[in-house]
Amino acid sequence: MNKKILFAFVALLMISKVASAQFVKVSVGINGGGLGTQMMTEPAPTNPTYFYISGYGGLFTTINFGKVLGIRGAANYALQGGQYDVNGVTATVSQSYIQVPATLLLHAGRAVSFEFGFVQNILLTSNYREENGSTVNITPDEGALKYNIGAVGGINFNFGKVVFLNLKYHYGLSKAYVIYGQGFPTSTVSAGLGFNIYTNRKSAFR
């Protein structure tokens, strides 16, 4: 019961912030950076590469309601993957996705904002490479699932009105890859820069 009351209080506080916002600011920009992928397998494969380093980039739109609350949507191209050993054979998997995150922004002044929400990953390409004296490539990789979703949490550091640093963690909520005959999720950590290319600000009541 106490949790329901707390949730209702937070929801009402957020609604009141939107209703009392003196302006709405819309920004469109580009972002990109480095991405590390963790393969959340159970049991864990032998000698896994827990953070497979790759990258991402794309477009985003931010709508700020006053000085506290905002929302952000994006469409990013991202590379993910991993490496592990199975019975002495080294296997490397790689996938490319369109990531579609939708997040809530909570601004703590002009310099810092916190970001929470969800992300939908849509598979574009996949590859499985096996090395054991000779190399075997399989494309597409049947172990890579076409869709998966995850929860998002992060923080933004703003450097003026144009550039910001974005640190974000995606935690997989659904299966993304099949190995050992069972599916498992993945999670990613990213660090990148965003650039606001176009910004339009107007009163919320005009």
Side-chain angles (χ1 to χ4, degrees):
M1 185 65 181
N2 291 335
K3 291 183 179 180
K4 292 182 179 180
I5 294 174
L6 178 61
F7 177 79
F9 175 77
V10 173
L12 288 173
L13 180 63
M14 292 171 60
I15 293 172
S16 68
K17 288 293 184 181
V18 174
S20 62
Q22 296 179 351
F23 65 87
V24 175
K25 184 169 69 174
V26 179
S27 301
V28 178
I30 59 175
N31 67 147
L35 185 73
T37 305
Q38 179 186 9
M39 303 178 68
M40 300 164 60
T41 58
E42 294 221 6
T46 306
N47 299 324
T49 301
Y50 279 105
F51 286 98
Y52 184 89
I53 304 301
S54 54
Y56 75 96
L59 304 173
F60 69 87
T61 298
T62 304
I63 304 176
N64 289 312
F65 305 96
K67 298 180 180 181
V68 177
L69 190 64
I71 57 175
R72 176 174 292 160
N76 296 320
Y77 176 83
L79 297 174
Q80 296 183 25
Q83 188 178 75
Y84 53 91
D85 293 341
V86 179
N87 298 325
V89 176
T90 300
T92 303
V93 296
S94 60
Q95 306 94 32
S96 65
Y97 292 95
I98 291 295
Q99 292 184 333
V100 186
T103 57
L104 175 72
L105 295 171
L106 298 177
H107 301 288
R110 295 183 178 180
V112 179
S113 62
F114 299 94
E115 194 170 357
F116 309 94
F118 296 93
V119 60
Q120 166 79 67
N121 295 308
I122 305 169
L123 183 68
L124 295 178
T125 63
S126 60
N127 176 261
Y128 175 92
R129 186 174 76 249
E130 187 177 284
E131 296 181 7
N132 185 21
S134 60
T135 301
V136 176
N137 277 292
I138 301 176
T139 303
D141 180 3
E142 295 182 357
L145 302 182
K146 293 183 178 180
Y147 303 97
N148 65 84
I149 61 172
V152 179
I155 186 170
N156 300 287
F157 298 96
N158 301 312
F159 304 104
K161 297 181 179 181
V162 177
V163 183
F164 63 90
L165 171 66
N166 178 257
L167 305 176
K168 193 177 296 180
Y169 177 64
H170 295 177
Y171 182 84
L173 297 177
S174 66
K175 298 175 182 178
Y177 197 82
V178 176
I179 189 174
Y180 300 137
Q182 65 180 12
F184 63 88
T186 60
S187 64
T188 64
V189 175
S190 63
L193 292 176
F195 300 89
N196 293 306
I197 297 176
Y198 169 81
T199 300
N200 181 37
R201 172 173 168 162
K202 63 180 180 180
S203 171
F205 304 104
R206 294 181 182 177

